Amino acid sequence: MIDRELMRGAGPVAILKLLGHREMYGYELVEALETRTRGLLAMGQSTLYPLLYNLEAKGYIVSRWVEDGARPRKYYRLTSDGRKRLADDSRQWRDVATAMEALGIINGAEVALA
Amino acid sequence: MIDRELMRGAGPVAILKLLGHREMYGYELVEALETRTRGLLAMGQSTLYPLLYNLEAKGYIVSRWVEDGARPRKYYRLTSDGRKRLADDSRQWRDVATAMEALGIINGAEVALA
DNA sequence: ACTCCATACCTCGTCACGCATAGTATGTTG
DNA sequence: CAACATACTATGCGTGACGAGGTATGGAGT
């Protein structure tokens, strides 16, 4: 399991990325993170739901209730602002990964950034 | 510049890694992060110093004052606990990088973890 | 029928941490 | 002799993860 502080940086991007494909509901996201990342980025409901409310409040995602099936579900999808945010966050993650490699933390190479 | 939440996960490991090579003092670390990561992981003094105090309080690093030169400097070095923590954090970072790749955030591949 | 687990949502309180801001003190440079 | 660089310290605000606890319904086993 991953540390809390690492999750702070990784959580939102992961959610935005998943919602970038198709609309999904909360419980589904919890399971998707568990299976798609083999538990590495797994987060509980008490982490996910507030995170979703936060992303919605900031306008990166929007929700709609669907009452068709057995239980009511709240589906979320990305807004255009959300796509921008996802693109920006992804760039930041690539940057950090680059820096981590430069320091020799991710890979053993440890070269100064040229 | 990277977001503060991302820094929360990246900051401590980066410092531990730098101190893994040789003992360094605060101001030197600020500059090392700036140059070694091309500003990607740059942090100000008000972020670094409290971070150092925190790592020392947890026993991952120890400090000693050196009065030889022009100004007094406080040098920090890793403890054996610090090495363990560095090893553990590095593993977590590799895990997160793996998960980010699986989600297609770092690289475009986007494969499920096999 | 009844129990238990899975599904699906929501809420509150605690704790940690980044960093802006501000302060102190000395060496170096124009 | 005024700026600027070096070097460390202290404080307060805002943000967010997550444990713990709560509600309600569907399905599976006995």
Side-chain angles (χ1 to χ4, degrees), chain A residues 3 5 8 21 92 110 114, chain B residues 3 5 8 21 38 110:
Chain A
D3 189 78
E5 304 299 337
R8 280 171 100 106
H21 294 297
Q92 286 197 36
E110 190 157 1
Chain B
D3 188 78
E5 302 301 337
R8 276 172 103 112
H21 294 297
R38 261 223 195 124
E110 189 156 0

Side-chain angles (χ1 to χ4, degrees), chain A residues 1-3 5-6 8-10 13-14 17-18 21 33 35-38 40-41 86 89-100 102-106 110-114, chain B residues 1-3 5-6 8-10 13-14 17-18 21 33 35-38 40-41 86 89-100 102-106 110-114:
Chain A
M1 192 55 46
I2 279 179
D3 189 78
E5 304 299 337
L6 251 178
R8 280 171 100 106
V13 220
K17 182 69 182 184
L18 287 172
H21 294 297
L33 283 176
T35 57
R36 298 268 312 260
T37 69
R38 258 215 189 138
L40 293 177
L41 276 187
L86 172 58
D89 281 4
S90 298
R91 182 195 52 73
Q92 286 197 36
W93 264 95
R94 281 189 295 272
D95 283 353
V96 171
T98 303
M100 288 286 134
L103 292 175
I105 290 168
I106 292 186
E110 190 157 1
V111 283
L113 284 168
Chain B
M1 192 56 46
I2 68 172
D3 188 78
E5 302 301 337
L6 249 178
R8 276 172 103 112
V13 219
K17 181 70 182 183
L18 287 173
H21 294 297
L33 284 175
T35 58
R36 297 267 313 259
T37 69
R38 261 223 195 124
L40 293 178
L41 275 187
L86 172 58
D89 281 4
S90 297
R91 181 194 54 72
Q92 286 198 36
W93 264 96
R94 281 189 295 271
D95 284 352
V96 172
T98 303
M100 288 287 133
L103 292 175
I105 290 167
I106 290 186
E110 189 156 0
V111 283
L113 283 169

Side-chain angles (χ1 to χ4, degrees), chain B:
Chain B
M1 192 56 46
I2 68 172
D3 188 78
R4 96 205 270 136
E5 302 301 337
L6 249 178
M7 186 58 89
R8 276 172 103 112
V13 219
I15 297 302
L16 291 176
K17 181 70 182 183
L18 287 173
L19 294 180
H21 294 297
R22 57 181 173 84
E23 67 176 2
M24 295 174 76
Y25 56 97
Y27 198 88
E28 188 183 12
L29 284 164
V30 171
E31 298 205 311
L33 284 175
E34 172 68 36
T35 58
R36 297 267 313 259
T37 69
R38 261 223 195 124
L40 293 178
L41 275 187
M43 67 175 73
Q45 298 189 6
S46 66
T47 300
L48 178 76
Y49 286 116
L51 173 54
L52 288 174
Y53 307 151
N54 184 258
L55 290 173
E56 184 166 31
K58 288 175 181 164
Y60 298 129
I61 59 179
V62 286
S63 61
R64 68 182 181 100
W65 281 99
V66 174
E67 314 264 358
D68 293 0
R71 282 179 200 70
R73 287 168 172 171
K74 201 173 181 180
Y75 280 87
Y76 292 89
R77 66 177 170 76
L78 272 192
T79 63
S80 59
D81 273 4
R83 298 213 174 268
K84 290 194 196 84
R85 164 79 191 264
L86 172 58
D88 192 60
D89 281 4
S90 297
R91 181 194 54 72
Q92 286 198 36
W93 264 96
R94 281 189 295 271
D95 284 352
V96 172
T98 303
M100 288 287 133
E101 280 172 23
L103 292 175
I105 290 167
I106 290 186
N107 294 324
E110 189 156 0
V111 283
L113 283 169

